[in-house]
């Protein structure tokens, strides 16, 4: 595996369509399993810096922050509704274990 990936969890710990959150090296990461694909983005909403993205409602790859409704595309972290975007992390699955790339997160300038 490439350098920079950190183990997050067993794939069996993830449930289809339900977010999960993890803390790794000061990164608070929200993970979503959708149709067999895993997406990892920042768990922290840039609106009021509240770490609840993993608990947001998910529909068509768009997660809605449960606090005030800002929305993000979990494939890219880009904002769909609201004034911000969130970091997107590269993921890798090996031996039924999920890894996420911490060092070179995309959208590094964003939350
Ligand atoms: S904290 Fe997420 S929309 Fe306000």
């Amino acid at each position: 595996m490439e350098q920079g990936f950190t183990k997050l969890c067993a794939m069996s710990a993830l449930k289809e369509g339900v977010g999960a959150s993890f803390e790794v090296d000061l990164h608070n990461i929200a993970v979503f399993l959708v149709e067999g694909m895993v997406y990892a983005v920042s768990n922290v909403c840039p609106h009021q810096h509240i770490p609840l993205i993993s608990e947001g409602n998910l529909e068509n790859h768009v997660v809605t922050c449960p606090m005030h409704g800002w929305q993000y595309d979990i494939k890219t972290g880009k904002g769909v509704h609201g004034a911000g975007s969130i970091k997107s992390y590269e993921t890798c699955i090996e031996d039924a274990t999920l890894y996420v790339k911490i060092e070179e997160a995309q959208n590094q300038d964003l939350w």
Side-chain angles (χ1 to χ4, degrees):
M1 185 183 304
E2 280 177 61
Q3 283 194 332
F5 281 91
T6 300
K7 183 177 173 179
L8 271 197
C9 66
M11 284 298 293
S12 59
L14 300 177
K15 290 195 186 118
E16 172 76 24
V18 179
S21 67
F22 300 89
E23 290 202 33
V24 182
D25 296 342
L26 300 180
H27 292 251
N28 195 328
I29 300 172
V31 174
F32 298 92
L33 176 65
V34 181
E35 294 167 358
M37 298 286 290
V38 178
Y39 303 95
V41 293
S42 171
N43 193 34
V44 182
C45 181
H47 178 215
Q48 291 188 352
H49 301 169
I50 296 174
L52 285 179
I53 294 298
S54 63
E55 295 184 22
N57 185 53
L58 188 64
E59 204 175 327
N60 296 327
H61 296 97
V62 172
V63 64
T64 301
C65 177
M67 296 304 291
H68 316 98
W70 285 21
Q71 295 180 312
Y72 308 94
D73 185 332
I74 59 168
K75 290 181 177 175
T76 61
K78 289 205 170 117
V80 174
H81 173 72
S85 294
I86 51 179
K87 233 181 240 180
S88 152
Y89 296 88
E90 195 177 331
T91 59
C92 174
I93 300 167
E94 201 169 283
D95 296 332
T97 302
L98 174 63
Y99 296 81
V100 68
K101 194 166 191 177
I102 296 294
E103 290 179 348
E104 294 175 31
Q106 297 163 27
N107 307 337
Q108 197 74 272
D109 53 324
L110 304 170
W111 279 88

